């Protein structure tokens, strides 16, 4: 079957009997049998015709295919013949073109060779004439004409580099070299005569001959130019070396201004007398200034090594200030193009400040902090980006910067002592201010002073002195944390979170435990906020120091230890606040555990101890929240730590309430629910703005107080039948500790015999511990042996029979 068909005759499972029965379903239908037979015969004839047509068509297709193939083969043979004819004609055409152009190529080569010969002969004529003229002009010292001619002769001589094997060409080249050497020696001699090393400069000024000689030196060997420059600058600075000898009074740091004034006069004098003698591209003014800087650095280094003990910080900073000002002046005047030796380091321009302690706080408040010793001597380097002259002289002061570091060490020590004295004199910050818990002002003062020191030192050096200064910063950050912050935290009567004997005695007498005053609470919050500010600012200080210091020293700057110190202060402050509130609630919890809960006859409002706890919370928490408004995350930490401390303590006191009647348990459950609601509302208690408590805090309170409620629900449940009671305990508390179960039984007031059987039943009903892990709670029982198991079952059977 090729195409789908609905005809029953085309089906693969054709059945003749069924087909006939379908045609003649009844006897009456047999009357049409002739008509049906005729239709079938007609169909057979049509099928025969179709088959015959298809067979004939297939026979004709085969004949047509063979005919088409033969025609294609004939066409291919014809095409191959045409291609061969084209190829033969192309070869003949190529041969014909070669014969035509053979003579043209020969003529072309001849023309090129002739042109080259003429050009070379012209160059040779120019070279020969130029060499003769050059020798003659050299003897007559006609440097103006020599400068142009020599450059042309050198350029022409470059064309003959490949002909140096020819004797005549080689001879001309040697004559040019000899003329160049003679010119060099002659020019040097002329300069030596004009500017003698041992004498003084000529009064008549520079001559045109020397100006033209400089133009010739540009074409000669670069060593001639360097020799001229070196001798001229040396002769120009010879007076400086005499005036500022080491043994002269003006050579010391206090008169360093005179050195820079002298060179300024000399540069002006040079411009007037010799500015036109040297070509502008020689940058002679800049070269004189740079050589002066190198000489000055060497001289200052030598004299400071000799008189190191006389260097004071004020004198050192004065010299550095004047020197950096001079370097800034050079950067404005010159481009630094002659600093090719690479000895001068590019300065690091600090990016715009993004740190609080690096903002421009250099007003009157900042000025008050700085010690008098360094008030008047601040090197203020001109803020010129990429100053190429930075350090060209001032580098010599770097080995002596230890004097500056020691001075800053002393100043910071005095600053810390002043902070301590001010705190003692002024006392803690006053409470009830709008911005309660504000950062101590001494903290901002310290970091403003740090900023000044860092910027100042980075202008002096970005190497080892910055590392030394960082060490000083670390030292006084720790001292600030210890003396100003930790040292001023209020002392508690509790040494490790627990109450002392004195406070316990006070509890027994029914008196209140000593609490922090409002001022002390505000002080603790203020110290916490200050420590948090110091922590964040110290991290920014570390980043800024790493930006200022050389890249190779960045790894040595690490203020993690100091940040950890401030974190400890924060933790201690939070712990103090928690301990204070916790200790204030202790008497109320003690009163709860001493009440006779078996005698409670009816359930009323919340108990007095709950009212007392809520009162203490309402007294302390709003003050702490308002004072920690700027550091919300630490207020959340306080809430979480208090919940983690108070709730377990409340549950422990709950276990001490024994025995408890059904009504007493209901009263305790009501009290527990009241405490739970207060604790859930703790973060926003007493606040006009109601905020949703953090999820982490809510989870802790719900989990802890729900456990307390479950304990009381277990206590309220009847202990008969025992199996139901034990299963109910395991379901509600999920605590497999026998100690906890024992405490529940004590709260219910069961007798020892009843408790013993209950404990046995409890051990039997405990769920099996997970494989490979310890059992939950504090259960540490080994697996019972079969004998122990059978004896326990017998005891259980006896107990049930007795009850029945």
């Amino acid at each position: 079957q090729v195409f789908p068909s609905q005809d029953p005759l085309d089906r693969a499972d054709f059945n003749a009997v069924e087909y006939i029965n379908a045609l003649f379903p009844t006897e009456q239908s047999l009357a049409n049998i002739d008509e049906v037979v005729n239709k079938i015969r007609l169909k057979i004839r049509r099928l025969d015709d179709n088959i015959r047509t298809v067979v004939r068509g297939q026979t004709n297709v085969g004949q047509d295919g063979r005919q088409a193939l033969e025609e294609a083969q004939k066409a291919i043979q014809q095409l191959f013949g045409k291609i061969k004819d084209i190829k033969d004609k192309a070869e003949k055409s190529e041969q014909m073109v070669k014969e035509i152009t053979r003579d043209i190529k020969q003529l072309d080569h001849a023309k090129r060779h002739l042109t080259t010969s003429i050009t070379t002969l012209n160059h040779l004529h120019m070279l020969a004439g130029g060499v003769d003229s050059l020798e003659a002009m050299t003897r007559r010292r006609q440097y103006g004409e020599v400068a142009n001619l020599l450059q042309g002769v050198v350029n022409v001589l470059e064309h003959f580099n490949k002909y140096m094997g020819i004797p005549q060409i080689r001879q001309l080249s040697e004559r040019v070299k000899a003329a160049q050497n003679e010119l060099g020696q002659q020019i040097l001699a002329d300069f030596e005569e004009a500017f003698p090393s041992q004498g003084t400069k000529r009064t008549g000024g520079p001559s045109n001959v020397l100006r033209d000689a400089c133009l010739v030196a540009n074409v000669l060997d670069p060593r001639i130019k360097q020799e001229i420059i070196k001798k001229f600058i040396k002769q120009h600075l010879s007076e400086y070396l005499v005036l500022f000898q080491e043994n002269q009074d003006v050579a010391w740091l206090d008169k360093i201004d005179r050195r820079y004034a002298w060179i300024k006069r000399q540069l002006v004098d040079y411009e007037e007398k010799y500015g036109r003698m040297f070509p502008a591209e020689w940058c002679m003014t800049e070269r004189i200034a740079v050589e002066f800087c190198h000489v000055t650095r060497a001289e200052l280094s030598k004299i400071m090594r000799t008189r190191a003990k006389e260097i004071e910080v004020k004198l050192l900073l004065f010299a550095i200030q004047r020197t950096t000002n001079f370097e800034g002046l050079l950067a404005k005047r010159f481009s630094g193009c002659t600093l090719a030796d690479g000895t001068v380091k590019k300065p690091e321009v600090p990016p715009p400040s993004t740190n609080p302690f690096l903002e421009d706080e250099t007003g009157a408040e900042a000025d008050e902090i700085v010690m008098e010793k360094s008030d008047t001597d601040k090197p203020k380097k001109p803020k010129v980006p990429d100053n190429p002259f930075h350090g060209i002289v001032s580098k010599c002061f770097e080995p002596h910067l230890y004097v500056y570091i020691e001075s800053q060490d002393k100043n910071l020590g005095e600053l810390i002592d002043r902070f301590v004295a001010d705190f003692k004199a002024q006392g803690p910050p006053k409470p009830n201010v709008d911005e309660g818990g504000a950062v101590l002002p001494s903290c901002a003062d310290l970091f403003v002073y740090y900023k000044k020191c860092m910027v100042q030192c980075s202008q002096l050096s970005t190497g080892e002195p910055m590392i030394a200064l960082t060490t000083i910063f670390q030292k006084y950050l720790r001292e600030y944390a210890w003396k100003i912050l930790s040292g001023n935290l209020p002392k508690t009567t509790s040494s490790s979170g627990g109450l002392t004997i004195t406070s316990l005695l006070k509890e027994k007498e029914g008196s209140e435990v000593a609490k922090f005053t409002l001022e002390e609470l505000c002080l603790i919050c203020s110290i916490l906020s200050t420590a948090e500010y110091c922590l964040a600012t110290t991290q920014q200080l570390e980043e800024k120091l790493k930006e200022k210091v050389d890249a190779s020293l960045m790894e040595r700057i690490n203020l993690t230890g100091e940040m950890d110190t401030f974190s400890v202060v924060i933790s201690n402050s939070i712990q103090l606040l928690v301990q204070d509130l916790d200790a204030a609630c202790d008497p109320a919890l003690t009163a709860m555990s001493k009440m006779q809960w078996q005698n409670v006859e009816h359930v009323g409002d919340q108990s007095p101890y709950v009212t007392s706890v809520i009162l203490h919370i309402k007294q302390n928490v709003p003050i702490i929240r308002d004072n920690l408004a700027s550091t919300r995350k630490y207020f959340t930490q306080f809430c979480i730590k208090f919940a983690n401390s108070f709730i377990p303590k409340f549950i422990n006191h709950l276990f001490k309430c024994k025995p408890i009647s059904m009504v007493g348990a209901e009263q305790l459950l009501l009290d527990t629910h009241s405490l739970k609601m207060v604790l859930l509302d703790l973060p926003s208690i007493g606040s006009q703005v109601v905020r949703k408590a953090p999820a982490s805090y809510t989870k802790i309170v719900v989990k802890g107080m729900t456990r307390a409620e479950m304990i009381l629900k277990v206590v309220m449940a009847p202990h008969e039948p025992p199996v139901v009671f034990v299963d109910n305990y395991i379901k509600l508390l999920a605590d497999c500790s026998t100690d906890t179960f024992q405490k529940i039984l004590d709260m219910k007031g069961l007798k020892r015999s009843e408790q013993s059987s209950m404990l046995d039943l409890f051990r039997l009903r405990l769920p099996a511990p997970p494989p490979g892990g310890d059992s939950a709670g504090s259960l540490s029982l080994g697996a019972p042996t079969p004998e122990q198991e059978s004896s326990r079952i017998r005891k259980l059977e006896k107990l049930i029979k007795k009850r029945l």
Side-chain angles (χ1 to χ4, degrees), residues 594-608:
K594 290 180 179 180
M595 285 180 65
Q596 302 297 319
W597 291 103
Q598 76 273 23
N599 298 331
V600 177
E601 296 178 355
H602 61 274
V603 178
D605 292 336
Q606 63 188 28
S607 303

Side-chain angles (χ1 to χ4, degrees), residues 335-349:
S335 64
C337 61
T338 62
L339 299 172
D341 53 2
T343 55
V344 179
K345 190 186 71 171
K346 296 282 184 183
E348 293 182 8
V349 180

